[in-house]
Amino acid sequence: MARGKSPFNLETCARKNILSLQPYRCARDDYKDDGTNILLDANENAYGPGLALQEDGKLANEATNGHAADERSLEVDLLGLNRYPDPHQVELKQKLCRLRTTHTHTGKALQPENLFIGVGSDEAIDAIFRCFCVPGMDKILTCPPTYGMYAVSAQVNDVSVTTVPLDGSDYFSLRPKVINTALTEDPSIKLVYLCSPGNPTGNLVSKAAVQEILEHPTWNGVVVLDEAYIDFAPDGSSLAEWVLEWPNLVVMQTLSKAFGLAGIRLGAAFTSPDIAGLLNNLKAPYNISSPTSALANAALAPENFNVMRDNRAKILRQRDRLLKELPKIPGIGRFLGGNHANFLLVEILDGPRGKGGKPNNETALSVYKHLAENRGVVVRFRGKEYGCNGCLRITVGTEREVDRFLEDIKDVLSDLHEGISDGCKTGNGERDEKAANNIVA
């Protein structure tokens, strides 16, 4: 059948900001998980889900159809999958509130009305935009280098971004006075997105710095604190319960990192009941699936929670090992930022430090590509981010993965410094750097 004539023109019908939007890219677009690669690129939990599993991957005392053997079991009502899931998720919210009520920052206790639950933290990021920012008029403020999805969501929602870079001379610390000046000068800034621990910087934002912004005398806006990696930081670092003291503070978290449940896409935003009410009003009515809810509830049960804590302890030991062993390798420079997450940001030098080697993007990109294409070890190139010249971001893996990574990066750097090529494609330097750096996560 011949195609009918139509006046439709995608270029003039679709929104201009969407037409210019670059698609979400991750390292797996370039380097697939074939079962043999070591994936140190997406800050996942290499030790697996925070669930009490048997060696065959099945849940210990597994139960289905509502008949659980004990508290740690996963109850998936397979016969009920023809029904829509619970739109309110009160039980899950109660568990998250108990988890984050530590009385470190307030004597009050979080309640389910303080929570929005979404499809990963990304749904919360977008929902907050839609709640507070008028497209084409309002702005947000971010502090690069930072998580790329803030800018992506801003473009999707036709919202401009004002930036106040972190202080690269002071371990990428926040600059609250500069931020407050920007808020005073431009009241159209409605949201300030902060990342703690930072991505890719790995350092905590100080409570005092956050408070300084919250205490701005005239700004009418919301501070959004992204705590995706908070469980790798010292106990008591989370400011989730602090939302009980500030009406315009939102603290986002996820089960994708320390809990090892990236595959279920479950995120939460702690905030005042008023803001939580708005976010819950605008969300899709059944945004959390029944299997996702069941897995999240199971992960927060004591037996499974202890698995998460054990896996976290293993990750922290390997993080300490990388901090100790990587600097011994010729061509490895400084660690930048902090070490409060499950990844490290490290400089790659164009030669051994003792021979005057300096951070270099071309070398860092070559190491990134050689590791991935010839060694099956995938990390993340961050050299085009503000203050990150010559940097790779390395997710902390298992002991076996760290063994292999340390051996492979040592060999790759040695070959590069000696001018030895092992067939890795080089291509266009500037173009390749931008492409590698534009990977979001």
Side-chain angles (χ1 to χ4, degrees), residues 41-54:
D41 61 306
N43 300 340
E44 297 151 325
N45 189 323
Y47 283 95
L51 299 169
L53 301 175
Q54 301 175 124

Side-chain angles (χ1 to χ4, degrees), residues 168 327 332-337 345-349 353 359 387 389 391:
I332 295 293
R334 301 171 299 166
F335 292 107
L336 301 187
L345 185 68
V346 63
E347 292 176 329
I348 303 298
L349 311 181
R353 187 186 304 187
N389 181 53
C391 283

Side-chain angles (χ1 to χ4, degrees), residues 413-434:
L413 277 167
S414 176
D415 288 347
L416 286 173
H417 294 161
E418 293 176 12
I420 299 173
S421 173
D422 53 4
C424 180
K425 300 175 184 177
T426 54
N428 181 287
E430 181 68 18
R431 183 191 63 204
D432 288 352
E433 287 176 20
K434 288 183 178 179

Side-chain angles (χ1 to χ4, degrees), residues 8 24 80 108 152 160 162 167 179 202 243 250 273 338 357 440:
F8 175 72
Y24 183 99
K108 304 172 185 176
V152 172
S160 298
T162 295
D167 187 349
I179 291 173
V243 303
V250 178
V440 178

Side-chain angles (χ1 to χ4, degrees), residues 199-428:
N199 177 11
T201 60
N203 56 337
L204 287 165
V205 174
S206 75
K207 181 180 177 181
V210 177
Q211 182 167 343
E212 191 170 343
I213 300 169
L214 289 167
E215 290 178 340
H216 191 291
T218 61
W219 179 58
N220 182 26
V222 177
V223 174
V224 184
L225 191 64
D226 189 343
E227 290 188 343
Y229 301 95
I230 199 64
D231 290 300
F232 299 107
D235 290 344
S237 297
S238 174
L239 297 181
E241 65 180 4
W242 211 30
V243 303
L244 298 168
E245 303 295 339
W246 299 95
N248 60 331
L249 175 63
V250 178
V251 176
M252 300 188 303
Q253 296 184 353
T254 179
L255 297 188
S256 296
K257 305 303 180 181
F259 283 86
L261 292 172
I264 74 171
R265 308 302 298 125
L266 194 288
F270 297 86
T271 187
S272 66
D274 289 340
I275 292 179
L278 293 177
L279 297 176
N280 283 307
N281 287 345
L282 64 81
K283 76 174 181 67
Y286 307 108
N287 61 331
I288 305 300
S289 73
S290 297
T292 290
S293 177
L295 280 160
N297 273 288
L300 295 170
E303 182 83 15
N304 294 317
F305 185 76
N306 288 335
V307 174
M308 182 278 286
R309 292 180 66 88
D310 290 343
N311 287 342
R312 179 182 65 179
K314 295 174 185 176
I315 289 171
L316 298 187
R317 286 196 292 271
Q318 295 307 311
R319 186 180 71 187
D320 291 342
R321 183 178 167 213
L322 284 169
L323 287 167
K324 178 181 178 181
E325 297 297 331
L326 263 178
K328 297 178 182 179
I329 297 174
I332 295 293
R334 301 171 299 166
F335 292 107
L336 301 187
N339 55 356
H340 295 128
N342 67 331
F343 58 84
L344 296 169
L345 185 68
V346 63
E347 292 176 329
I348 303 298
L349 311 181
D350 57 8
R353 187 186 304 187
K355 297 182 179 180
K358 296 180 180 179
N360 181 272
N361 270 353
E362 183 178 352
T363 306
L365 184 65
S366 293
V367 170
Y368 162 74
K369 297 182 76 172
H370 278 73
L371 283 172
E373 296 175 12
N374 300 315
R375 305 295 181 119
V377 177
V378 186
V379 295
R380 185 61 56 83
F381 174 76
R382 296 284 82 177
K384 303 297 283 187
E385 298 287 327
Y386 175 86
C388 298
N389 181 53
C391 283
L392 297 179
R393 193 194 69 191
I394 301 159
T395 302
V396 179
T398 64
E399 181 177 3
R400 181 186 63 84
E401 290 172 339
V402 170
D403 286 343
R404 181 168 151 190
F405 166 73
L406 288 171
E407 179 181 349
D408 285 345
I409 195 170
K410 180 180 180 180
D411 290 345
V412 167
L413 277 167
S414 176
D415 288 347
L416 286 173
H417 294 161
E418 293 176 12
I420 299 173
S421 173
D422 53 4
C424 180
K425 300 175 184 177
T426 54
N428 181 287

Side-chain angles (χ1 to χ4, degrees), residues 38-114:
I38 291 180
L39 305 175
L40 307 179
D41 61 306
N43 300 340
E44 297 151 325
N45 189 323
Y47 283 95
L51 299 169
L53 301 175
Q54 301 175 124
E55 290 186 5
D56 61 2
K58 295 182 179 179
L59 276 165
N61 298 320
E62 186 175 13
T64 58
N65 293 329
H67 301 287
D70 59 31
E71 189 179 17
R72 69 184 172 182
S73 297
L74 170 62
E75 296 184 62
V76 178
D77 183 7
L78 300 179
L79 296 177
L81 290 178
N82 60 316
R83 303 300 181 188
Y84 287 110
D86 176 7
H88 306 297
Q89 302 293 332
V90 174
E91 180 185 1
L92 178 56
K93 290 178 179 179
Q94 288 173 334
K95 290 181 179 180
L96 289 168
C97 287
R98 286 196 293 270
L99 174 66
R100 298 310 181 190
T101 298
T102 63
H103 298 304
T104 303
H105 307 287
T106 180
K108 304 172 185 176
L110 290 161
Q111 302 296 331
E113 54 264 31
N114 292 111

Side-chain angles (χ1 to χ4, degrees), residues 104-183:
T104 303
H105 307 287
T106 180
K108 304 172 185 176
L110 290 161
Q111 302 296 331
E113 54 264 31
N114 292 111
L115 263 178
F116 166 81
I117 295 179
V119 182
S121 296
D122 293 340
E123 183 178 2
I125 292 170
D126 183 70
I128 294 166
F129 268 97
R130 291 186 288 130
C131 188
F132 291 101
C133 294
V134 177
M137 292 179 57
D138 292 329
K139 302 176 183 177
I140 68 162
L141 186 147
T142 66
C143 300
T146 193
Y147 182 40
M149 278 305 296
Y150 310 142
V152 172
S153 287
Q155 186 172 358
V156 168
N157 288 282
D158 197 14
V159 172
S160 298
V161 180
T162 295
T163 60
V164 174
L166 299 172
D167 187 349
S169 66
D170 185 28
Y171 302 98
F172 288 116
S173 61
L174 197 68
R175 299 193 290 165
K177 289 181 172 53
V178 181
I179 291 173
N180 280 348
T181 297
L183 300 180

